Amino acid sequence: MPIVESPTLDTVFFDYDRKPLSRHPMTCFAIYGKGGIGKSTTAANVALALAQSGKRVMLIGCDPKADSTALLRGNDKIETVLSLLRTRHKSQLHLEEMVTQGKGGVLCVEAGGPRPGVGCAGRGIIAAFEALKAQDAFNVYRPDVVIFDVLGDVVCGGFAMPIRDGWAKNVFIVTSGENMAIHAAANIAVAVDTYAERGYARLGGLILNCRDVPREVEKVEELASDLKTQIVGRLPRSEVVQTADELRLTVLEHAPHSEMAEHYRTLAKALLDACATPDNQAKSNTFTF
């Protein structure tokens, strides 16, 4: 069966310009960070914390490794939207093929990426968003919160998709005090600022995922000051996180009464609070479909 190519970039923009048939308000935010910084672990624990607090949550993995939702599936990876689109048009896909329920009722989606050495990784994000919208996923599942977990080593057009078209009104960047993490965070912030000028998104703040390097807190505080933003949460380095990862569990499952689990719950609340701050309400902290 021939491979079905995704629409051109111009077509993508026209698709998003069309007025939706129905509108469902959601709080949408993206978590960006360089590879290996712990953004997917953070996103999974935050998603589960919000679900356990009574929110209906959808986590959309926008990393070519397609491992954003693994902890919520017992490391059982789900088929990516891009892999489904290799054989069928987006109009032929069924929602239950793209959206899988994970632990705590979190709705899991993985955009996916191309085979190594072939194509642009950002294409998977664009294709996944088109397919979800074509099947009216957000009005069918009606999530309260949508979290985009996005690789931030290179913020090209594809990886900027959640913010460039207004899907994620708020962007949070996971960083440590390591030089490469700070460099990546600064680059991501520049990309966010580009789209903030058009009213699409804003930098909601930094998430400090500690690696215990020298002057870590001071360096990240300096970065926050330079970016004119805040540190919305601090996650201490903890063996509990490493043990939970090895067991293919979130911290909230492995050690629900631990100090680290409480840090994730506190961060989850802080992220929602940051999305609802008055200056951001002027830009609308929800997106509708």
Side-chain angles (χ1 to χ4, degrees):
M1 184 177 293
I3 294 176
V4 178
E5 295 295 334
S6 64
T8 64
L9 192 59
D10 288 339
T11 303
V12 171
F13 280 114
F14 282 122
D15 279 347
Y16 286 109
D17 285 338
R18 291 172 184 162
K19 186 176 180 179
L21 297 176
S22 59
R23 306 181 71 85
H24 168 60
M26 305 176 295
T27 298
C28 301
F29 61 86
I31 297 178
Y32 276 77
K34 71 176 292 295
I37 197 60
K39 63 178 179 55
S40 293
T41 297
T42 300
N45 278 282
V46 165
L48 186 55
L50 290 174
Q52 290 178 347
S53 73
K55 301 290 185 184
R56 187 161 177 78
V57 182
M58 179 179 284
L59 175 59
I60 301 179
C62 303
D63 189 319
K65 297 192 304 297
D67 61 353
S68 299
T69 63
L71 291 179
L72 296 170
R73 297 279 302 160
N75 213 42
D76 177 22
K77 290 189 176 183
I78 58 180
E79 189 164 11
T80 68
V81 177
L82 188 57
S83 67
L84 292 169
L85 287 171
R86 289 195 175 103
T87 58
R88 281 177 288 165
H89 187 266
K90 63 185 180 182
S91 63
Q92 298 175 313
L93 298 182
H94 300 291
L95 278 178
E96 58 269 21
E97 295 177 283
M98 296 184 286
V99 183
T100 305
Q101 184 167 294
K103 296 174 183 178
V106 176
L107 302 168
C108 300
V109 180
E110 289 288 354
R115 289 181 290 274
V118 180
C120 171
R123 174 181 172 233
I125 301 174
I126 295 172
F129 285 16
E130 281 194 303
L132 288 169
K133 190 172 180 183
Q135 296 299 330
D136 205 23
F138 301 99
N139 284 315
V140 171
Y141 289 104
R142 301 182 65 82
D144 301 306
V145 182
V146 179
I147 304 171
F148 300 94
D149 176 11
V150 193
L151 183 66
D153 291 86
V154 179
V155 192
C156 67
F159 288 115
M161 188 71 171
I163 55 177
R164 77 179 191 190
D165 286 315
W167 289 68
K169 292 294 185 181
N170 296 269
V171 176
F172 301 98
I173 305 173
V174 179
T175 187
S176 66
E178 297 164 304
N179 290 337
M180 288 304 296
I182 287 178
H183 177 72
N187 283 341
I188 295 166
V190 170
V192 175
D193 189 58
T194 298
Y195 295 104
E197 295 174 358
R198 307 175 193 176
Y200 291 168
R202 70 141 190 180
L203 179 59
L206 305 178
I207 299 170
L208 171 54
N209 193 27
C210 294
R211 296 294 177 86
D212 294 343
V213 298
R215 294 188 63 250
E216 184 160 44
V217 174
E218 291 84 355
K219 288 167 71 175
V220 177
E221 286 178 341
E222 290 171 5
L223 176 64
S225 177
D226 290 342
L227 298 177
K228 296 180 175 57
T229 192
Q230 61 181 331
I231 298 175
V232 294
R234 300 184 183 186
L235 300 171
R237 189 174 181 85
S238 172
E239 291 185 3
V240 174
V241 178
Q242 299 170 15
T243 301
D245 280 348
E246 290 175 2
L247 294 172
R248 303 174 181 178
L249 298 171
T250 60
V251 171
L252 273 72
E253 295 172 277
H254 169 61
H257 304 297
S258 66
E259 182 179 346
M260 198 62 210
E262 193 57 34
H263 279 298
Y264 283 120
R265 294 187 187 100
T266 299
L267 175 60
K269 183 179 184 303
L271 294 177
L272 287 190
D273 288 345
C275 290
T277 53
D279 65 311
N280 197 41
Q281 286 177 347
K283 294 181 180 180
S284 176
N285 69 3
T286 58
F287 191 57
T288 55
F289 296 91

